[in-house]
Amino acid sequence: MAVIGERALAPLDALRRQTFASLSTPNYRRFIGGQAVSMTGTWMQTIAQSWLVLELTGSATAVGLVVALQTLPILLFGPYAGVVVDRLDKRRLLIGLLVGAGALALVLGVLTATGTVQLWQVYVLAFLLGTVSSVETPARQTFVLELVGPDNLRNAVSLNSVLVNVARAVGPAFAGIVIATGGMAVCFLLNAVSFAAVIASLLRLDLAALTPTTPAPRAPGQLREGFDYVRRTPALAVPLLTMALIGCLAFEFQVVLPIVASETFAGDASTYGFLTAAMGAGAVIGGLCMAAWGRTGLWSLAAAAAAFGLAMLATALAPTLGFALLGMGMVGAASVAFQSAGNSTLQLTSAPHMRGRVMALWAVAFLGSTPIGGPIAGFVSQHFGGRAGLALGAAACLVAAVLTALVARREHQKQPSVA
């Protein structure tokens, strides 16, 4: 009987090892532990910042503008940030950037706590934080490969998506409680403290166990070289263009969900937090599935984009808050599948000395498109309702899915047939 029991559990044990394969690397465990604390704090600040702007102005367009200002530097500086990442030691670069991000959160917390915060100050701090993020995002994403190596990269990217979305589930829930009991300033101050955790994890890494990419030497024309490299490689260009469309119009939840919460369902900050948390909970499930069974390539990307669009459409049509929460869970699962497929495809396809520039363009497509999409989503949501904002994102996902599938089919037809 014991032998039978062991045989029955063997597939489950194998699935567990496959799902969490990258956690067998001690350096990755340290890094992801620090990230867990820091990302929870970041999501708390995200919720509090949007609600602070809404409280100061009562305008969804203003919420869209502050989100746009936070992501505008990624659009402006992102491509060159990739050149910087390819040239420098990524661990040291990350430590310096995270110290700066923590200082900005501290300033916003003090201004809010003292009652002196003004809208222009929120705008300026959001822009400065976006400037830090324009370099930190590609540096962090490419550093994962140095932690786990190519064999476990897809698994690590998927688990990192799980982490982001656990933080998305926990952070907003904490933010709702903290805003109700202690005020928005506490969210900002807690985020400032949370950066210490990830900085400590970077300082404690076993440097001998890293597999660092050789920094690219300084040379003229490196930014143009990155664009030319992507343009010549459909496996890189298509995911980037797909993310640009979806990132512009679908990933605008910071703008759309406050309107869905306050107007569509007559809720408050906690309703907004629960909608975001439901999306995060669904993304955790989707991320774990991707870690165990995920695939890379254009076909996988097209399927994930289609699922993302259908889930957003279902949420837009939800008749009650309960159905909307269920829909946001599906949105979360589909969105993390899309992000994981795109991120892994890019990193595994790109050459090592070009990876920083490629992933910087991914950040531009994902976050840098928000200065364009944020105000559009805010305008649509304010004038036509939160459901229209969700429907706009759904349409973008479905168009992107069709275009990606067409390119994937064309590339498949180019391959020589085997007799």
Side-chain angles (χ1 to χ4, degrees):
M1 293 295 292
V3 174
I4 294 175
E6 291 176 0
R7 288 178 179 175
L9 292 175
L12 294 176
D13 187 56
L15 178 61
R16 178 186 59 80
R17 290 197 301 270
Q18 181 179 346
T19 303
F20 301 101
S22 55
L23 291 179
S24 62
T25 305
N27 272 344
Y28 183 69
R29 289 200 302 272
R30 295 188 185 99
F31 180 69
I32 202 171
Q35 285 284 308
V37 177
S38 179
M39 288 184 179
T40 300
T42 296
W43 274 106
M44 292 180 67
Q45 172 152 332
T46 297
I47 298 298
Q49 179 176 275
S50 292
W51 208 257
L52 173 62
V53 173
L54 196 61
E55 187 176 89
L56 290 172
T57 66
S59 169
T61 302
V63 176
L65 181 57
V66 75
V67 174
L69 284 171
Q70 188 162 322
T71 51
L72 179 61
I74 299 175
L75 179 63
L76 297 177
F77 313 132
Y80 186 74
V83 176
V84 173
V85 170
D86 280 334
R87 288 176 177 175
L88 299 178
D89 179 280
K90 295 176 182 58
R91 186 184 70 93
R92 293 179 179 176
L93 178 61
L94 282 170
I95 291 172
L97 292 168
L98 292 168
V99 169
L104 293 172
L106 178 62
V107 170
L108 182 57
V110 171
L111 288 172
T112 306
T114 56
T116 58
V117 66
Q118 298 179 38
L119 185 61
W120 71 266
Q121 295 168 333
V122 181
Y123 285 162
V124 169
L125 289 170
F127 183 83
L128 292 175
L129 182 59
T131 302
V132 173
S133 297
S134 69
V135 184
E136 189 271 341
T137 299
R140 170 170 40 83
Q141 291 180 336
T142 54
F143 186 59
V144 171
L145 183 60
E146 298 187 5
L147 290 169
V148 301
D151 291 343
N152 283 327
L153 176 63
R154 181 186 58 76
N155 179 265
V157 168
S158 297
L159 289 182
N160 196 65
S161 296
V162 171
L163 170 63
V164 170
N165 289 286
V166 168
R168 189 198 301 268
V170 174
F174 281 170
I177 295 171
V178 171
I179 291 172
T181 58
M184 288 172 285
V186 180
C187 289
F188 303 136
L189 295 173
L190 288 175
N191 183 42
V193 174
S194 74
F195 283 104
V198 67
I199 292 171
S201 74
L202 289 167
L203 293 173
R204 293 177 55 245
L205 294 179
D206 179 3
L207 302 186
L210 295 176
T211 54
T213 302
T214 302
R218 290 178 176 271
Q222 287 180 311
L223 181 59
R224 184 177 64 254
E225 180 187 16
F227 282 113
D228 290 342
Y229 176 65
V230 167
R231 180 176 52 81
R232 297 191 309 266
T233 313
L236 299 177
V238 173
L240 289 171
L241 292 173
T242 301
M243 175 52 89
L245 177 58
I246 293 178
C248 181
L249 298 176
F251 278 104
E252 302 298 347
F253 299 109
Q254 296 176 56
V255 179
V256 176
L257 290 186
I259 305 305
V260 173
S262 62
E263 296 183 7
T264 305
F265 296 111
D268 54 16
S270 62
T271 307
Y272 173 36
F274 286 133
L275 285 167
T276 308
M279 180 179 173
V284 170
I285 298 172
L288 291 174
C289 292
M290 286 296 293
W293 300 296
R295 297 291 184 269
T296 58
L298 297 183
W299 285 115
S300 297
L301 195 65
F308 192 5
L310 292 173
M312 288 195 72
L313 184 60
T315 306
L317 298 173
T320 65
L321 178 59
F323 280 105
L325 292 172
L326 180 61
M328 287 307 299
M330 295 188 294
V331 168
S335 69
V336 78
F338 172 76
Q339 292 178 69
S340 181
N343 189 307
S344 300
T345 297
L346 290 176
Q347 292 216 52
L348 293 174
T349 303
S350 58
H353 69 286
M354 301 293 295
R355 193 170 290 122
R357 276 163 279 186
V358 171
M359 296 313 296
L361 291 176
W362 174 256
V364 170
F366 183 18
L367 301 172
S369 58
T370 300
I372 301 171
I376 294 174
F379 178 86
V380 170
S381 298
Q382 183 167 337
H383 291 278
F384 302 101
R387 295 184 189 277
L390 291 171
L392 176 67
C397 292
L398 294 174
V399 169
V402 171
L403 295 177
T404 303
L406 290 174
V407 175
R409 181 183 178 185
R410 186 191 66 187
E411 292 299 310
H412 178 73
Q413 289 174 343
K414 287 181 180 180
Q415 298 176 1
S417 59
V418 180

